[in-house]
Amino acid sequence: MSDLLRRYRGRAGLTQAALAAKAGLSDQAISVLERGTRRRPRIDTIRALIKVLRLDKAEAAEFLAVARGKSQSAEAQEPEAASGAEALPMPWQLPPAVSDFTGRTAQIEAILDVLRVPDGVPSTSVGLVAVTGMGGIGKTTLAVQAAHKLVDSYPDGHLYLNLRGYGPGKPVSSADALRQLLRSLGTEPQLIPDEVEEAAGLLRSQLAGRRVLLFLDNAADAAHVMPLLPGNPGSAAIITSRGSLAPLPGARQVRLDALSQSESVELLSGVIGQTRIAAEPEAAETLASFTGRLPLAVRLIGGRLAARPSWPIQHLVALLEDEDRRLDTLGSDETGVRANIASSVDFLQNSDRTLDREAAGALPLLSIPDGADLLTSVAAHLLDVPARKANAILERLADLNLMESVAPDRYRFHDLIRAYGRELADETLSESASNAGLERLLRFYIGCAWQCQTLTHTSSPRIPLASVPPLRIPALATRHSALQWFDAELRNLMDRFAQATTVLAGSTLLPELALAMFGYHESRRRWMEMEEMARGAVELATKLDLPLTAAWLQHDHAIPTVENGRLEAAIPDLSKALTMFQDAGDLTGQSRCCSSLTYALAGVGRIEEALEYGKLSLELSEKIGDLVLEGVAHTALGVLYNRVGDRVHADLNFDRGIELARQVGDIRSVYKRNANAAFSHLVAGRWEDAQKYNWEADRIAEETGDDVNRTESHQTRTLIFAAQGKYAEAIHEAELGIHFARRSADAIREGRLYLEMARVQAAAGDRTAAILNAAQAVSKLARISPVHEQYARQLLEQLRRGDPYTYSFTDHAI
């Protein structure tokens, strides 16, 4: 021992003191070993010296044998004399690391932070890392990559064991896993206890005093691996599982998501070569998207392309565009994506737990609705179970990474798992069962929408047409919370509405949902969505003999047209709605259509007709005693009188409309009528009066915390200042308006504010800034507000030509 130690220390160029410092030993300990006065050093001392001296396997084995009092030749001649503890096998069982490993830098570092052991620093705890994620997400590949970077920290070996928690085949029992691990550590099979607790104790004893890394792959759950973990500081374990490993005490949890788009393309490049990627970059991007950015799917599809060098990438893209065949294209045998997902579902189906089987049974129906994610409340109605049960099912699916919990009460399917779920739905659900689920979902949305409308438009004449009662749930308790709930859920709702127009074509629920959503759409100025839902709804409501629903939808269909500045196009729609209300004998609807026609006709200069409809609207509202409609009529007349320069009658009508809103306690209408008066006075050149009404509208917007109304009030103030040549103040107001437009996700208003700011900057002589903001306006308004997009393009062209610009605003600037 002493001769070997001196030889290896000399080769390493270390003094006794330097070796002692690096190994975490005392100078005296090294001196005693080199003099040979200590014949049986402790095993951790031997281990530290092997590591610091960087001995290879053969040298380490010789050093160890001599230190334990045996020569290698003696050991070869007398194997029976060497116990498992004396022989101290050093297993090196890690699978090879892939050469094209891509991304995951943060996750690798998280593992290394926990398990890497610095030179000379003794461990004080057992290092544990749990890597979880859906099947095919790359857990094993990541863990192997990290484990290979930890070789120096665990010089006594690395153990690898596939526990088969999620197939293929039956899971490895804890007892069998203990036997395999103990055999790898040199324990004679006949010495391994049959009882799990005794075997686990023996494993911990065998690992005590050693630095071994255990890689426990594909565990079913935390209970599956608890008996397999080291018990003393020094050794460590990496555990991978599709299920949650949160119950593992002290384990760092590393959860894997899909690769980024760029990482997916990079991985594909590693499989098929950069030359093919460079030849078809757009097709490669699309291909990565179709794989769901799942490493397993990327490798499978890359392997298919690599084996077919004559195939263009675009050919495979075309195959993957068919969602019904996508999983087939991604491998149809036991190594494919479908089989990988199926093994997780099989785990639930074959579980002894009732909840697991319920979760497996719910997966097909949960996968049917379109939309990015799924609320617990939506899932409850879809499955027709209480919310608590739905939450337990979703959480169990999330535990196995068949769903992702993206926020409290909000879950999401990976695209490929949704595709698999829909395959199951086709196989296991009847068409009537599937449609019934979507109908329950639509009824839920309708109930939520009516509840929102009762809060935003308390006296709306649409509400009595509801066949589904308002749904009073905590999320919809106040106007503010209801609007926020729909803000978060709108895209899902729109996707599912579009899906239902095909799957449930002809259902009475479709026009009712379009009508119920008016309160939200109008409050949040969601004109695109209002227009989208109205398409075909009027005809369907008429076909279903719902004349008032059809008439209101016909009226509401014109609102986005008006709001986007296409007044002339809106007039025929409003006239048709008026006729429909007249045919139905509904005076309320007639009054509302007349006031809307007053606005539109006045806006295109048809003053006489506008005045006729304005007076008729007021007459009808007074006849039925509806103060809300009477206030609407007065406001419409106020706008009209300002148009013709009759200030006295304009102010009388505006003030009367505001007073009526206050009488009925409708703060939303108080705001709206002050805002209308402010803009009307602005158009009429009445700056001070416009400012007065604008400040009152702004006060209400601040008081109610409504970002949509804040945006509108700042936009009006932008115009007021700009019209007076106060350009610095106007730019400041526009910037504030853009801030609130972004917060309320009002893309149209944001684009129009950029347009207005560009006009002001052009007038102020800042052409560079004006061009930038005009271009920004074009970008924001493209395809969502054609009239204002055209204004923005015209301004941009004028500025780029260098033509002089004088500030002006259109009648449709608001």
Side-chain angles (χ1 to χ4, degrees):
M1 168 76 179
S2 58
D3 291 340
L4 281 177
L5 180 57
R6 277 194 296 273
R7 185 200 316 164
Y8 291 141
R9 178 172 64 79
R11 184 181 70 183
L14 297 172
T15 64
Q16 286 188 350
L19 177 59
K22 283 182 173 289
L25 303 171
S26 66
D27 294 357
Q28 183 182 7
I30 300 297
S31 176
V32 166
L33 289 172
E34 290 199 355
R35 289 200 305 272
T37 55
R38 183 175 181 181
R39 298 185 59 192
R40 289 266 184 166
R42 293 172 56 185
I43 190 65
D44 55 348
T45 299
I46 301 170
R47 214 173 37 243
L49 291 171
I50 288 173
K51 180 178 179 181
V52 172
L53 293 168
R54 299 184 179 279
L55 305 185
D56 62 27
K57 290 183 182 179
E59 291 170 340
E62 179 188 16
F63 191 72
L64 178 62
V66 172
R68 305 305 284 168
K70 298 178 181 289
S71 69
Q72 284 186 297
S73 59
E75 284 189 302
Q77 295 167 4
E78 304 178 272
E80 67 279 5
S83 69
E86 292 283 343
L88 199 66
M90 298 176 68
W92 303 91
Q93 298 177 349
L94 287 180
V98 297
S99 60
D100 58 2
F101 183 80
T102 303
R104 309 298 200 195
T105 303
Q107 291 84 356
I108 289 284
E109 284 303 315
I111 296 172
L112 299 183
D113 282 348
V114 175
L115 302 184
R116 187 191 284 124
V117 180
D119 287 345
V121 179
S123 298
T124 58
S125 62
V126 175
L128 296 179
V129 173
V131 182
T132 58
M134 66 175 284
I137 203 71
K139 301 180 294 297
T140 300
T141 304
L142 171 79
V144 169
Q145 198 75 16
H148 278 281
K149 295 178 181 293
L150 293 165
V151 170
D152 289 344
S153 294
Y154 299 94
D156 294 336
H158 301 100
L159 294 168
Y160 172 79
L161 181 57
N162 181 359
L163 294 169
R164 297 202 305 270
Y166 295 88
K170 292 183 178 180
V172 177
S173 68
S174 297
D176 286 343
L178 284 164
R179 278 190 283 274
Q180 185 169 333
L181 292 172
L182 284 165
R183 286 198 304 270
S184 296
L185 289 170
T187 306
E188 295 295 332
Q190 66 271 20
L191 300 178
I192 299 174
D194 292 329
E195 293 296 323
V196 169
E197 289 187 11
E198 291 183 28
L202 180 58
L203 176 65
R204 290 192 290 271
S205 298
Q206 292 283 48
L207 292 173
R210 304 187 187 185
R211 302 195 63 84
V212 176
L213 178 66
L214 282 74
F215 180 3
L216 305 173
D217 195 18
N218 196 11
D221 50 31
H224 198 185
V225 296
M226 284 294 288
L228 315 180
L229 301 179
N232 295 90
S235 290
I238 302 176
I239 308 102
T240 71
S241 178
R242 299 184 195 183
S244 171
L245 294 174
L248 283 179
R252 167 73 69 86
Q253 301 290 328
V254 177
R255 186 183 181 283
L256 294 191
D257 292 319
L259 296 171
S260 69
Q261 184 72 4
S262 61
E263 287 171 340
S264 300
V265 175
E266 182 182 346
L267 178 56
L268 183 63
S269 172
V271 179
I272 68 173
Q274 180 58 37
T275 301
R276 291 178 77 177
I277 298 290
E280 297 179 85
E282 292 184 5
E285 292 278 349
T286 305
L287 190 65
S289 298
F290 279 145
T291 63
R293 297 178 284 111
L294 194 67
L296 171 64
V298 175
R299 289 186 185 280
L300 285 170
I301 209 71
R304 191 170 179 186
L305 278 171
R308 296 161 178 82
S310 63
W311 277 22
I313 297 175
Q314 183 58 43
H315 174 69
L316 210 47
V317 168
L319 294 178
L320 287 168
E321 283 175 342
D322 183 352
E323 186 176 331
D324 293 336
R325 295 177 55 194
R326 189 168 299 165
L327 291 178
D328 291 328
T329 307
L330 293 172
S332 56
D333 60 12
E334 66 276 4
T335 65
V337 173
R338 179 188 286 106
N340 197 284
I341 298 170
S343 62
S344 294
V345 179
D346 290 344
F347 177 88
L348 291 174
Q349 288 175 331
N350 297 318
S351 171
D352 295 333
R353 298 177 61 193
T354 301
L355 177 60
D356 284 1
R357 297 192 299 274
E358 289 174 336
L363 180 67
L365 191 54
L366 290 173
S367 69
I368 289 174
D370 288 343
D373 43 44
L374 202 62
L375 286 175
T376 300
S377 53
V378 171
H381 283 78
L382 181 66
L383 298 173
D384 199 19
V385 298
R388 182 174 294 182
K389 170 64 74 175
N391 182 254
I393 287 171
L394 293 170
E395 279 293 298
R396 190 64 188 123
L397 291 170
D399 283 344
L400 268 69
N401 288 288
L402 288 167
M403 294 193 89
E404 178 187 4
S405 178
V406 294
D409 289 326
R410 189 174 288 275
Y411 299 82
R412 181 175 299 157
F413 277 117
H414 185 279
D415 289 347
L416 298 179
I417 294 179
R418 188 205 295 271
Y420 179 78
R422 288 182 171 179
E423 284 187 358
L424 288 183
D426 290 340
E427 295 169 3
T428 62
L429 297 179
S430 66
E431 184 179 353
S432 60
S434 175
N435 289 352
L438 282 178
E439 286 180 355
R440 289 192 296 271
L441 187 150
L442 282 189
R443 288 183 182 278
F444 169 73
Y445 280 137
I446 291 169
C448 292
W450 283 129
Q451 173 63 10
C452 181
Q453 193 166 158
T454 64
L455 296 167
T456 60
H457 297 69
T458 309
S459 56
S460 171
R462 300 164 186 80
I463 294 173
L465 299 175
S467 72
V468 179
L471 188 60
R472 293 176 172 84
I473 58 177
L476 307 173
T478 66
R479 179 180 185 274
H480 180 67
S481 66
L483 291 173
Q484 284 194 319
W485 188 89
F486 274 99
D487 286 343
E489 188 62 10
L490 183 61
R491 195 60 259 164
N492 291 321
L493 186 153
M494 296 301 298
D495 287 344
R496 288 158 191 165
F497 177 81
Q499 180 184 20
T501 58
T502 300
V503 178
L504 303 175
S507 171
T508 59
L509 298 175
L510 296 171
E512 182 168 352
L513 180 54
L515 188 65
M517 286 294 292
F518 169 82
Y520 172 76
H521 286 154
E522 199 274 342
S523 297
R524 286 299 203 225
R525 299 178 59 82
R526 295 290 188 262
W527 308 131
M528 286 180 62
E529 291 83 358
M530 181 184 281
E531 191 168 33
E532 184 179 335
M533 294 189 82
R535 288 192 201 110
V538 176
E539 293 78 4
L540 180 56
T542 302
K543 181 179 178 181
L544 295 169
D545 195 24
L546 301 169
L548 288 180
T549 296
W552 278 112
L553 287 170
Q554 177 66 37
H555 170 273
D556 296 350
H557 178 66
I559 295 175
T561 309
V562 171
E563 292 292 337
N564 284 317
R566 294 178 285 130
L567 301 181
E568 196 71 62
I571 293 171
D573 287 337
L574 293 170
S575 298
K576 182 178 179 180
L578 176 58
T579 301
M580 294 169 73
F581 280 119
Q582 288 171 339
D583 291 344
D586 185 277
L587 299 182
T588 298
Q590 292 177 46
S591 175
R592 189 66 185 89
C593 280
C594 286
S595 61
S596 296
L597 279 165
T598 304
Y599 281 114
L601 289 165
V604 297
R606 294 161 64 175
I607 303 301
E608 293 299 323
E609 293 174 82
L611 186 58
E612 179 182 340
Y613 280 114
K615 290 178 178 178
L616 180 56
S617 175
L618 184 57
E619 178 186 330
L620 289 168
S621 62
E622 290 174 339
K623 182 176 181 179
I624 59 180
D626 189 321
L627 297 183
V628 173
L629 287 176
E630 186 181 341
V632 171
H634 276 296
T635 303
L637 284 168
V639 172
L640 180 61
Y641 283 124
N642 248 344
R643 287 269 180 181
V644 299
D646 189 342
R647 293 189 171 197
V648 173
H649 282 94
D651 289 348
L652 285 173
N653 278 280
F654 279 129
D655 292 342
R656 178 59 179 162
I658 292 168
E659 176 57 31
L660 287 170
R662 293 190 189 281
Q663 280 185 34
V664 298
D666 187 348
I667 191 66
R668 185 195 71 86
S669 292
V670 175
Y671 165 82
K672 196 66 181 174
R673 291 169 195 177
N674 272 288
N676 285 338
F679 185 68
S680 178
H681 289 334
L682 168 63
V683 173
R686 300 172 61 183
W687 319 129
E688 291 184 8
D689 293 327
Q691 191 77 287
K692 179 187 72 173
Y693 286 107
N694 174 257
W695 281 117
E696 179 60 15
D698 189 62
R699 184 192 66 77
I700 296 169
E702 290 294 331
E703 185 179 287
T704 57
D706 191 313
D707 284 345
V708 171
N709 291 344
R710 283 169 168 155
T711 303
E712 185 174 14
S713 66
H714 283 296
Q715 185 176 6
T716 301
R717 199 141 61 244
T718 299
L719 299 169
I720 292 171
F721 283 131
Q724 299 176 78
K726 300 178 180 179
Y727 297 143
E729 293 92 331
I731 291 170
H732 175 67
E733 292 296 333
E735 289 170 343
L736 290 173
I738 288 169
H739 167 73
F740 288 116
R742 286 175 179 165
R743 280 208 336 196
S744 59
D746 189 343
I748 293 177
R749 187 77 77 174
E750 183 184 353
R752 288 161 70 170
L753 276 158
Y754 272 116
L755 172 57
E756 211 57 46
M757 188 154 60
R759 286 170 170 156
V760 173
Q761 289 166 332
D766 190 349
R767 188 174 295 271
T768 301
I771 288 173
L772 288 174
N773 284 314
Q776 185 81 306
V778 170
S779 173
K780 293 287 181 182
L781 296 168
R783 295 179 299 280
I784 62 173
S785 183
V787 169
H788 295 92
E789 180 190 354
Q790 182 181 2
Y791 290 153
R793 289 188 184 281
Q794 289 171 347
L795 176 63
L796 186 58
E797 290 171 6
Q798 181 179 352
L799 294 173
R800 284 173 173 168
R801 287 195 307 266
D803 296 347
Y805 180 81
T806 303
Y807 179 79
S808 64
F809 63 86
T810 71
D811 289 355
H812 312 315
I814 281 292

